[in-house]
Amino acid sequence: MGKLLSKFQNSPSPVDVFVDFANARPQNAEEEAVFNQVQSVIDRSSAILGQLVSYTGCGELIREAIVNPSDASTARAWEAVIPKVHQLKDFFEFSLTLQEIIPSLLRTLCAPGNAEVTLTNMQALTRQLADLMNFVLRFDDAKMTNPAIQNDFSFYRRTLNKMKMTNPDVELPIKDDLANRMSLFYAYPTPMMRALSETTVAFVNSNTLPRNNVTDVFALMANACYSMVHLKKFDTDQLNLFCLRALTASIIVFDSAEPAGAFHKRSPIHIKQAIQTLKNFVPATPGDSDTVSLINAIRFTTVHLADEDTPSSIQALLEN
């Protein structure tokens, strides 16, 4: 297991941290019980992400129904959209599962009240938090680059009442109240990150644990991840990008949960160094993912970037 050697929260230097993302395993029965519960969700996330990445819409049939409207063209588009709506329902319901599991993971990770203890002694759960953050960013990136998702669901909503009138026995994969909630979910540019951030903020506001117990874990996670990439602790693009996604999501969640945000001069996150690490990362293998989407996630998903006490140099660093 990796060992946290030291922590320099107020230093601009890299944090001398190694979290063994490749090999971390639970160290006791209590950690293993939480680990197994969370792992079942992580295992499902791979299938959800795979379905989303391979999602193909019904654009041609929908265009035909709009350009040459008829009962026949509408029926063809409707029949094609129904299986897609079932898929979109699965994605949405997985976001609810994510919201259910996050408090359990945070309760265990943050209970010690010392982020250094967490990263040292609970690396398996730390890895799982990073796993979930990786899923969230990859899901949102795939969703944003696939307009068919929104188009398919919009057609379903527009056509629903017409199909009810023409065929009282028509198949309805979702009820109206669920459809409304799904509309709100898919209308948001980054719905999974919103679910993660709002769940974390709700957990903090529940006063289950002191706020700093929670925010310190995300701050140290961000510092650890940028440091491991900067210090070349991993030799594969896969693990380096895993760290950079965890870094990005940690900044976003911390910025939502901490009233002062992540960007002010006294922030415990080494924000300038973290952003520079994101911008300077070049995959060793041509064609591997770059970090533009991660930088954009910080630019457009965080709450406090535009605050008056955010240094202009940080804003400029993200924009250029």
Side-chain angles (χ1 to χ4, degrees):
M1 177 188 292
K3 183 177 181 181
L4 177 59
L5 301 177
S6 61
K7 183 179 73 171
F8 305 102
Q9 284 289 83
N10 297 315
S11 169
S13 302
V15 178
D16 191 6
V17 171
F18 181 70
V19 181
D20 193 352
F21 282 142
N23 302 299
R25 298 295 304 170
Q27 298 301 297
N28 54 57
E30 180 183 2
E31 185 182 5
E32 186 169 15
V34 179
F35 178 91
N36 291 338
Q37 183 184 16
V38 176
Q39 192 61 41
S40 66
V41 176
I42 292 172
D43 291 343
R44 286 181 56 202
S45 73
S46 299
I48 292 290
L49 185 61
Q51 291 169 25
L52 177 64
V53 169
S54 63
Y55 185 98
T56 55
C58 307
E60 291 187 11
L61 290 171
I62 290 173
R63 280 191 293 273
E64 178 67 20
I66 294 171
V67 174
N68 299 304
S70 67
D71 289 346
S73 63
T74 300
R76 285 193 294 270
W78 175 265
E79 290 173 5
V81 160
I82 291 300
K84 303 300 182 181
V85 173
H86 281 293
Q87 259 191 303
L88 297 179
K89 176 173 175 280
D90 289 343
F91 299 160
F92 172 72
E93 289 181 339
F94 187 78
S95 77
L96 302 181
T97 300
L98 184 71
Q99 289 175 291
E100 291 173 357
I101 201 65
I102 287 294
S104 176
L105 183 58
L106 292 180
R107 193 175 297 112
T108 305
L109 276 173
C110 304
N114 185 318
E116 182 171 349
V117 169
T118 293
L119 266 69
T120 303
N121 297 338
M122 289 188 278
Q123 292 203 354
L125 298 187
T126 301
R127 159 71 196 230
Q128 288 187 316
L129 180 60
D131 267 318
L132 292 176
M133 291 193 289
N134 266 257
F135 163 76
V136 161
L137 284 172
R138 294 178 69 190
F139 181 98
D140 286 346
D141 190 48
K143 181 262 182 187
M144 280 194 292
T145 56
N146 192 344
I149 292 170
Q150 192 78 355
N151 292 341
D152 287 353
F153 197 67
S154 294
F155 174 80
Y156 171 80
R157 296 300 306 276
R158 290 196 309 269
T159 312
L160 180 60
N161 288 334
K162 178 180 178 181
M163 297 304 295
K164 284 180 181 178
M165 288 186 291
T166 58
N167 180 9
D169 299 323
V170 67
E171 177 189 5
L172 298 179
I174 54 176
K175 295 183 179 179
D176 288 345
D177 60 335
L178 179 56
N180 291 335
R181 294 167 64 197
M182 288 175 60
S183 287
L184 293 173
F185 178 79
Y186 287 111
Y188 201 76
T190 54
M192 284 292 179
M193 179 55 72
R194 185 184 190 185
L196 173 59
S197 294
E198 289 185 348
T199 301
T200 303
V201 170
F203 179 79
V204 168
N205 291 339
S206 72
N207 296 318
T208 302
L209 294 170
R211 180 184 301 274
N212 286 350
N213 283 32
V214 181
T215 56
D216 284 356
V217 166
F218 284 101
L220 188 55
M221 173 79 89
N223 290 339
C225 287
Y226 106 74
S227 297
M228 286 189 288
V229 174
H230 180 77
L231 297 172
K232 303 185 186 305
K233 296 292 187 179
F234 299 115
D235 57 5
T236 68
D237 287 344
Q238 182 181 6
L239 279 172
N240 281 313
L241 286 166
F242 182 89
C243 282
L244 292 175
R245 291 190 196 99
L247 156 64
T248 300
S250 294
I251 292 172
I252 295 169
V253 173
F254 179 94
D255 190 63
S256 296
E258 172 56 50
F263 302 100
H264 59 92
K265 291 181 179 180
R266 296 178 63 84
S267 172
I269 295 177
H270 303 165
I271 195 69
K272 182 178 181 180
Q273 290 76 17
I275 295 169
Q276 287 174 330
T277 299
L278 283 169
K279 295 187 71 171
N280 293 338
F281 178 75
V282 178
T285 304
D288 274 4
S289 301
D290 60 31
T291 58
V292 173
S293 65
L294 302 182
I295 295 167
N296 285 337
I298 295 173
R299 287 183 64 191
F300 300 116
T301 312
T302 48
V303 177
H304 295 281
L305 180 60
D307 286 2
E308 290 183 359
D309 59 353
T310 297
S312 58
S313 59
I314 297 299
Q315 295 173 334
L317 189 60
L318 283 167
E319 292 170 2
N320 297 325

PDB file of all heavy atoms in Angstrom, residues 55-85:
ATOM      1  N   TYR A  55     -24.070   5.020 -27.424  1.00  0.00           N
ATOM      2  CA  TYR A  55     -25.450   5.436 -27.669  1.00  0.00           C
ATOM      3  C   TYR A  55     -25.563   6.071 -29.053  1.00  0.00           C
ATOM      4  O   TYR A  55     -24.856   7.006 -29.404  1.00  0.00           O
ATOM      5  CB  TYR A  55     -25.883   6.442 -26.607  1.00  0.00           C
ATOM      6  CG  TYR A  55     -27.337   6.859 -26.685  1.00  0.00           C
ATOM      7  CD1 TYR A  55     -28.288   6.253 -25.866  1.00  0.00           C
ATOM      8  CD2 TYR A  55     -27.757   7.844 -27.556  1.00  0.00           C
ATOM      9  CE1 TYR A  55     -29.618   6.635 -25.914  1.00  0.00           C
ATOM     10  CE2 TYR A  55     -29.093   8.229 -27.618  1.00  0.00           C
ATOM     11  CZ  TYR A  55     -30.015   7.623 -26.796  1.00  0.00           C
ATOM     12  OH  TYR A  55     -31.329   8.006 -26.856  1.00  0.00           O
ATOM     13  N   THR A  56     -26.473   5.553 -29.854  1.00  0.00           N
ATOM     14  CA  THR A  56     -26.790   6.141 -31.154  1.00  0.00           C
ATOM     15  C   THR A  56     -28.259   6.532 -31.162  1.00  0.00           C
ATOM     16  O   THR A  56     -29.113   5.770 -30.727  1.00  0.00           O
ATOM     17  CB  THR A  56     -26.521   5.150 -32.302  1.00  0.00           C
ATOM     18  OG1 THR A  56     -27.238   3.934 -32.060  1.00  0.00           O
ATOM     19  CG2 THR A  56     -25.034   4.845 -32.402  1.00  0.00           C
ATOM     20  N   GLY A  57     -28.528   7.717 -31.628  1.00  0.00           N
ATOM     21  CA  GLY A  57     -29.882   8.250 -31.561  1.00  0.00           C
ATOM     22  C   GLY A  57     -30.750   7.882 -32.745  1.00  0.00           C
ATOM     23  O   GLY A  57     -30.350   7.138 -33.638  1.00  0.00           O
ATOM     24  N   CYS A  58     -31.930   8.441 -32.737  1.00  0.00           N
ATOM     25  CA  CYS A  58     -32.935   8.164 -33.770  1.00  0.00           C
ATOM     26  C   CYS A  58     -33.137   9.391 -34.656  1.00  0.00           C
ATOM     27  O   CYS A  58     -34.256   9.702 -35.069  1.00  0.00           O
ATOM     28  CB  CYS A  58     -34.259   7.771 -33.118  1.00  0.00           C
ATOM     29  SG  CYS A  58     -34.120   6.437 -31.920  1.00  0.00           S
ATOM     30  N   GLY A  59     -32.043  10.101 -34.905  1.00  0.00           N
ATOM     31  CA  GLY A  59     -32.136  11.383 -35.595  1.00  0.00           C
ATOM     32  C   GLY A  59     -32.833  11.336 -36.943  1.00  0.00           C
ATOM     33  O   GLY A  59     -33.678  12.191 -37.245  1.00  0.00           O
ATOM     34  N   GLU A  60     -32.503  10.343 -37.767  1.00  0.00           N
ATOM     35  CA  GLU A  60     -33.084  10.305 -39.113  1.00  0.00           C
ATOM     36  C   GLU A  60     -34.588  10.084 -39.064  1.00  0.00           C
ATOM     37  O   GLU A  60     -35.355  10.740 -39.788  1.00  0.00           O
ATOM     38  CB  GLU A  60     -32.410   9.213 -39.942  1.00  0.00           C
ATOM     39  CG  GLU A  60     -30.959   9.517 -40.287  1.00  0.00           C
ATOM     40  CD  GLU A  60     -30.372   8.503 -41.236  1.00  0.00           C
ATOM     41  OE1 GLU A  60     -31.147   7.683 -41.781  1.00  0.00           O
ATOM     42  OE2 GLU A  60     -29.145   8.522 -41.427  1.00  0.00           O
ATOM     43  N   LEU A  61     -35.023   9.165 -38.226  1.00  0.00           N
ATOM     44  CA  LEU A  61     -36.460   8.905 -38.123  1.00  0.00           C
ATOM     45  C   LEU A  61     -37.193  10.099 -37.506  1.00  0.00           C
ATOM     46  O   LEU A  61     -38.323  10.414 -37.915  1.00  0.00           O
ATOM     47  CB  LEU A  61     -36.707   7.651 -37.289  1.00  0.00           C
ATOM     48  CG  LEU A  61     -36.302   6.331 -37.941  1.00  0.00           C
ATOM     49  CD1 LEU A  61     -36.387   5.182 -36.942  1.00  0.00           C
ATOM     50  CD2 LEU A  61     -37.196   6.043 -39.150  1.00  0.00           C
ATOM     51  N   ILE A  62     -36.571  10.768 -36.553  1.00  0.00           N
ATOM     52  CA  ILE A  62     -37.196  11.957 -35.957  1.00  0.00           C
ATOM     53  C   ILE A  62     -37.297  13.079 -36.983  1.00  0.00           C
ATOM     54  O   ILE A  62     -38.329  13.754 -37.093  1.00  0.00           O
ATOM     55  CB  ILE A  62     -36.399  12.408 -34.717  1.00  0.00           C
ATOM     56  CG1 ILE A  62     -36.570  11.388 -33.586  1.00  0.00           C
ATOM     57  CG2 ILE A  62     -36.857  13.790 -34.248  1.00  0.00           C
ATOM     58  CD1 ILE A  62     -35.697  11.644 -32.383  1.00  0.00           C
ATOM     59  N   ARG A  63     -36.221  13.281 -37.769  1.00  0.00           N
ATOM     60  CA  ARG A  63     -36.271  14.308 -38.824  1.00  0.00           C
ATOM     61  C   ARG A  63     -37.360  14.001 -39.834  1.00  0.00           C
ATOM     62  O   ARG A  63     -38.080  14.904 -40.289  1.00  0.00           O
ATOM     63  CB  ARG A  63     -34.913  14.408 -39.522  1.00  0.00           C
ATOM     64  CG  ARG A  63     -33.891  15.226 -38.748  1.00  0.00           C
ATOM     65  CD  ARG A  63     -32.673  15.528 -39.597  1.00  0.00           C
ATOM     66  NE  ARG A  63     -31.935  14.321 -39.907  1.00  0.00           N
ATOM     67  CZ  ARG A  63     -30.990  13.808 -39.123  1.00  0.00           C
ATOM     68  NH1 ARG A  63     -30.687  14.401 -37.975  1.00  0.00           N
ATOM     69  NH2 ARG A  63     -30.347  12.714 -39.472  1.00  0.00           N
ATOM     70  N   GLU A  64     -37.498  12.737 -40.196  1.00  0.00           N
ATOM     71  CA  GLU A  64     -38.542  12.343 -41.142  1.00  0.00           C
ATOM     72  C   GLU A  64     -39.918  12.640 -40.583  1.00  0.00           C
ATOM     73  O   GLU A  64     -40.815  13.125 -41.290  1.00  0.00           O
ATOM     74  CB  GLU A  64     -38.407  10.859 -41.467  1.00  0.00           C
ATOM     75  CG  GLU A  64     -39.469  10.309 -42.420  1.00  0.00           C
ATOM     76  CD  GLU A  64     -39.371  10.885 -43.829  1.00  0.00           C
ATOM     77  OE1 GLU A  64     -38.293  11.407 -44.193  1.00  0.00           O
ATOM     78  OE2 GLU A  64     -40.380  10.815 -44.556  1.00  0.00           O
ATOM     79  N   ALA A  65     -40.111  12.385 -39.295  1.00  0.00           N
ATOM     80  CA  ALA A  65     -41.410  12.649 -38.663  1.00  0.00           C
ATOM     81  C   ALA A  65     -41.715  14.140 -38.595  1.00  0.00           C
ATOM     82  O   ALA A  65     -42.881  14.542 -38.612  1.00  0.00           O
ATOM     83  CB  ALA A  65     -41.433  12.050 -37.259  1.00  0.00           C
ATOM     84  N   ILE A  66     -40.669  14.961 -38.542  1.00  0.00           N
ATOM     85  CA  ILE A  66     -40.864  16.417 -38.481  1.00  0.00           C
ATOM     86  C   ILE A  66     -41.038  17.006 -39.879  1.00  0.00           C
ATOM     87  O   ILE A  66     -41.935  17.825 -40.120  1.00  0.00           O
ATOM     88  CB  ILE A  66     -39.668  17.085 -37.769  1.00  0.00           C
ATOM     89  CG1 ILE A  66     -39.634  16.658 -36.298  1.00  0.00           C
ATOM     90  CG2 ILE A  66     -39.744  18.608 -37.866  1.00  0.00           C
ATOM     91  CD1 ILE A  66     -38.389  17.078 -35.558  1.00  0.00           C
ATOM     92  N   VAL A  67     -40.208  16.562 -40.829  1.00  0.00           N
ATOM     93  CA  VAL A  67     -40.242  17.123 -42.188  1.00  0.00           C
ATOM     94  C   VAL A  67     -41.445  16.618 -42.964  1.00  0.00           C
ATOM     95  O   VAL A  67     -42.099  17.375 -43.700  1.00  0.00           O
ATOM     96  CB  VAL A  67     -38.940  16.778 -42.934  1.00  0.00           C
ATOM     97  CG1 VAL A  67     -39.016  17.231 -44.393  1.00  0.00           C
ATOM     98  CG2 VAL A  67     -37.746  17.426 -42.243  1.00  0.00           C
ATOM     99  N   ASN A  68     -41.770  15.349 -42.806  1.00  0.00           N
ATOM    100  CA  ASN A  68     -42.923  14.752 -43.506  1.00  0.00           C
ATOM    101  C   ASN A  68     -43.869  14.140 -42.476  1.00  0.00           C
ATOM    102  O   ASN A  68     -43.954  12.916 -42.339  1.00  0.00           O
ATOM    103  CB  ASN A  68     -42.450  13.676 -44.490  1.00  0.00           C
ATOM    104  CG  ASN A  68     -41.540  14.237 -45.565  1.00  0.00           C
ATOM    105  OD1 ASN A  68     -41.927  15.162 -46.276  1.00  0.00           O
ATOM    106  ND2 ASN A  68     -40.327  13.686 -45.681  1.00  0.00           N
ATOM    107  N   PRO A  69     -44.558  14.997 -41.726  1.00  0.00           N
ATOM    108  CA  PRO A  69     -45.396  14.489 -40.631  1.00  0.00           C
ATOM    109  C   PRO A  69     -46.564  13.643 -41.122  1.00  0.00           C
ATOM    110  O   PRO A  69     -47.277  14.014 -42.053  1.00  0.00           O
ATOM    111  CB  PRO A  69     -45.888  15.764 -39.942  1.00  0.00           C
ATOM    112  CG  PRO A  69     -45.794  16.828 -40.981  1.00  0.00           C
ATOM    113  CD  PRO A  69     -44.643  16.471 -41.852  1.00  0.00           C
ATOM    114  N   SER A  70     -46.715  12.497 -40.505  1.00  0.00           N
ATOM    115  CA  SER A  70     -47.846  11.606 -40.773  1.00  0.00           C
ATOM    116  C   SER A  70     -47.930  10.636 -39.611  1.00  0.00           C
ATOM    117  O   SER A  70     -46.982  10.496 -38.835  1.00  0.00           O
ATOM    118  CB  SER A  70     -47.657  10.842 -42.090  1.00  0.00           C
ATOM    119  OG  SER A  70     -46.582   9.931 -41.987  1.00  0.00           O
ATOM    120  N   ASP A  71     -49.056   9.962 -39.518  1.00  0.00           N
ATOM    121  CA  ASP A  71     -49.180   8.967 -38.448  1.00  0.00           C
ATOM    122  C   ASP A  71     -48.113   7.882 -38.595  1.00  0.00           C
ATOM    123  O   ASP A  71     -47.547   7.412 -37.600  1.00  0.00           O
ATOM    124  CB  ASP A  71     -50.572   8.328 -38.478  1.00  0.00           C
ATOM    125  CG  ASP A  71     -51.654   9.290 -38.014  1.00  0.00           C
ATOM    126  OD1 ASP A  71     -51.310  10.333 -37.422  1.00  0.00           O
ATOM    127  OD2 ASP A  71     -52.850   9.005 -38.262  1.00  0.00           O
ATOM    128  N   ALA A  72     -47.817   7.523 -39.842  1.00  0.00           N
ATOM    129  CA  ALA A  72     -46.849   6.450 -40.080  1.00  0.00           C
ATOM    130  C   ALA A  72     -45.427   6.876 -39.698  1.00  0.00           C
ATOM    131  O   ALA A  72     -44.699   6.131 -39.037  1.00  0.00           O
ATOM    132  CB  ALA A  72     -46.891   6.013 -41.541  1.00  0.00           C
ATOM    133  N   SER A  73     -45.011   8.073 -40.121  1.00  0.00           N
ATOM    134  CA  SER A  73     -43.646   8.523 -39.821  1.00  0.00           C
ATOM    135  C   SER A  73     -43.460   8.760 -38.320  1.00  0.00           C
ATOM    136  O   SER A  73     -42.400   8.456 -37.756  1.00  0.00           O
ATOM    137  CB  SER A  73     -43.305   9.795 -40.601  1.00  0.00           C
ATOM    138  OG  SER A  73     -44.155  10.869 -40.224  1.00  0.00           O
ATOM    139  N   THR A  74     -44.519   9.290 -37.678  1.00  0.00           N
ATOM    140  CA  THR A  74     -44.450   9.495 -36.233  1.00  0.00           C
ATOM    141  C   THR A  74     -44.363   8.163 -35.498  1.00  0.00           C
ATOM    142  O   THR A  74     -43.595   8.011 -34.539  1.00  0.00           O
ATOM    143  CB  THR A  74     -45.678  10.285 -35.737  1.00  0.00           C
ATOM    144  OG1 THR A  74     -45.706  11.557 -36.390  1.00  0.00           O
ATOM    145  CG2 THR A  74     -45.626  10.491 -34.231  1.00  0.00           C
ATOM    146  N   ALA A  75     -45.141   7.186 -35.954  1.00  0.00           N
ATOM    147  CA  ALA A  75     -45.135   5.870 -35.312  1.00  0.00           C
ATOM    148  C   ALA A  75     -43.763   5.202 -35.449  1.00  0.00           C
ATOM    149  O   ALA A  75     -43.274   4.571 -34.501  1.00  0.00           O
ATOM    150  CB  ALA A  75     -46.213   4.989 -35.914  1.00  0.00           C
ATOM    151  N   ARG A  76     -43.146   5.347 -36.619  1.00  0.00           N
ATOM    152  CA  ARG A  76     -41.820   4.745 -36.808  1.00  0.00           C
ATOM    153  C   ARG A  76     -40.793   5.372 -35.861  1.00  0.00           C
ATOM    154  O   ARG A  76     -39.984   4.674 -35.244  1.00  0.00           O
ATOM    155  CB  ARG A  76     -41.371   4.899 -38.270  1.00  0.00           C
ATOM    156  CG  ARG A  76     -42.062   3.965 -39.244  1.00  0.00           C
ATOM    157  CD  ARG A  76     -41.352   3.945 -40.589  1.00  0.00           C
ATOM    158  NE  ARG A  76     -41.443   5.251 -41.252  1.00  0.00           N
ATOM    159  CZ  ARG A  76     -42.421   5.612 -42.072  1.00  0.00           C
ATOM    160  NH1 ARG A  76     -43.416   4.764 -42.328  1.00  0.00           N
ATOM    161  NH2 ARG A  76     -42.423   6.800 -42.640  1.00  0.00           N
ATOM    162  N   ALA A  77     -40.839   6.696 -35.763  1.00  0.00           N
ATOM    163  CA  ALA A  77     -39.903   7.374 -34.866  1.00  0.00           C
ATOM    164  C   ALA A  77     -40.187   7.005 -33.408  1.00  0.00           C
ATOM    165  O   ALA A  77     -39.263   6.777 -32.615  1.00  0.00           O
ATOM    166  CB  ALA A  77     -39.992   8.886 -35.065  1.00  0.00           C
ATOM    167  N   TRP A  78     -41.453   6.934 -33.054  1.00  0.00           N
ATOM    168  CA  TRP A  78     -41.833   6.592 -31.676  1.00  0.00           C
ATOM    169  C   TRP A  78     -41.326   5.199 -31.296  1.00  0.00           C
ATOM    170  O   TRP A  78     -40.747   5.010 -30.225  1.00  0.00           O
ATOM    171  CB  TRP A  78     -43.345   6.678 -31.542  1.00  0.00           C
ATOM    172  CG  TRP A  78     -43.880   6.235 -30.213  1.00  0.00           C
ATOM    173  CD1 TRP A  78     -44.360   5.006 -29.880  1.00  0.00           C
ATOM    174  CD2 TRP A  78     -43.979   7.033 -29.022  1.00  0.00           C
ATOM    175  NE1 TRP A  78     -44.754   4.973 -28.569  1.00  0.00           N
ATOM    176  CE2 TRP A  78     -44.541   6.208 -28.015  1.00  0.00           C
ATOM    177  CE3 TRP A  78     -43.672   8.346 -28.716  1.00  0.00           C
ATOM    178  CZ2 TRP A  78     -44.777   6.676 -26.721  1.00  0.00           C
ATOM    179  CZ3 TRP A  78     -43.911   8.816 -27.436  1.00  0.00           C
ATOM    180  CH2 TRP A  78     -44.457   7.973 -26.444  1.00  0.00           C
ATOM    181  N   GLU A  79     -41.526   4.248 -32.185  1.00  0.00           N
ATOM    182  CA  GLU A  79     -41.099   2.866 -31.908  1.00  0.00           C
ATOM    183  C   GLU A  79     -39.576   2.782 -31.745  1.00  0.00           C
ATOM    184  O   GLU A  79     -39.074   1.983 -30.941  1.00  0.00           O
ATOM    185  CB  GLU A  79     -41.569   1.940 -33.029  1.00  0.00           C
ATOM    186  CG  GLU A  79     -43.087   1.726 -33.043  1.00  0.00           C
ATOM    187  CD  GLU A  79     -43.556   0.946 -34.256  1.00  0.00           C
ATOM    188  OE1 GLU A  79     -42.675   0.488 -35.037  1.00  0.00           O
ATOM    189  OE2 GLU A  79     -44.770   0.787 -34.429  1.00  0.00           O
ATOM    190  N   ALA A  80     -38.857   3.596 -32.519  1.00  0.00           N
ATOM    191  CA  ALA A  80     -37.399   3.587 -32.410  1.00  0.00           C
ATOM    192  C   ALA A  80     -36.929   4.255 -31.128  1.00  0.00           C
ATOM    193  O   ALA A  80     -35.915   3.859 -30.540  1.00  0.00           O
ATOM    194  CB  ALA A  80     -36.786   4.289 -33.623  1.00  0.00           C
ATOM    195  N   VAL A  81     -37.658   5.267 -30.676  1.00  0.00           N
ATOM    196  CA  VAL A  81     -37.251   6.040 -29.505  1.00  0.00           C
ATOM    197  C   VAL A  81     -37.505   5.282 -28.202  1.00  0.00           C
ATOM    198  O   VAL A  81     -36.768   5.457 -27.216  1.00  0.00           O
ATOM    199  CB  VAL A  81     -37.960   7.413 -29.498  1.00  0.00           C
ATOM    200  CG1 VAL A  81     -37.976   8.037 -28.107  1.00  0.00           C
ATOM    201  CG2 VAL A  81     -37.276   8.355 -30.474  1.00  0.00           C
ATOM    202  N   ILE A  82     -38.522   4.440 -28.157  1.00  0.00           N
ATOM    203  CA  ILE A  82     -38.901   3.770 -26.905  1.00  0.00           C
ATOM    204  C   ILE A  82     -37.733   3.014 -26.270  1.00  0.00           C
ATOM    205  O   ILE A  82     -37.460   3.189 -25.066  1.00  0.00           O
ATOM    206  CB  ILE A  82     -40.101   2.832 -27.124  1.00  0.00           C
ATOM    207  CG1 ILE A  82     -41.362   3.646 -27.405  1.00  0.00           C
ATOM    208  CG2 ILE A  82     -40.325   1.948 -25.891  1.00  0.00           C
ATOM    209  CD1 ILE A  82     -41.746   4.605 -26.291  1.00  0.00           C
ATOM    210  N   PRO A  83     -36.980   2.194 -27.007  1.00  0.00           N
ATOM    211  CA  PRO A  83     -35.836   1.526 -26.361  1.00  0.00           C
ATOM    212  C   PRO A  83     -34.787   2.517 -25.850  1.00  0.00           C
ATOM    213  O   PRO A  83     -34.120   2.267 -24.845  1.00  0.00           O
ATOM    214  CB  PRO A  83     -35.252   0.645 -27.475  1.00  0.00           C
ATOM    215  CG  PRO A  83     -36.356   0.482 -28.455  1.00  0.00           C
ATOM    216  CD  PRO A  83     -37.151   1.740 -28.401  1.00  0.00           C
ATOM    217  N   LYS A  84     -34.651   3.654 -26.551  1.00  0.00           N
ATOM    218  CA  LYS A  84     -33.705   4.678 -26.122  1.00  0.00           C
ATOM    219  C   LYS A  84     -34.146   5.310 -24.807  1.00  0.00           C
ATOM    220  O   LYS A  84     -33.317   5.608 -23.936  1.00  0.00           O
ATOM    221  CB  LYS A  84     -33.551   5.753 -27.205  1.00  0.00           C
ATOM    222  CG  LYS A  84     -33.119   5.227 -28.551  1.00  0.00           C
ATOM    223  CD  LYS A  84     -31.757   4.532 -28.466  1.00  0.00           C
ATOM    224  CE  LYS A  84     -31.305   4.040 -29.831  1.00  0.00           C
ATOM    225  NZ  LYS A  84     -30.004   3.336 -29.754  1.00  0.00           N
ATOM    226  N   VAL A  85     -35.438   5.516 -24.650  1.00  0.00           N
ATOM    227  CA  VAL A  85     -35.964   6.093 -23.413  1.00  0.00           C
ATOM    228  C   VAL A  85     -35.714   5.146 -22.243  1.00  0.00           C
ATOM    229  O   VAL A  85     -35.389   5.583 -21.134  1.00  0.00           O
ATOM    230  CB  VAL A  85     -37.452   6.434 -23.558  1.00  0.00           C
ATOM    231  CG1 VAL A  85     -38.050   6.876 -22.217  1.00  0.00           C
ATOM    232  CG2 VAL A  85     -37.645   7.538 -24.596  1.00  0.00           C
TER     233      VAL A  85
END
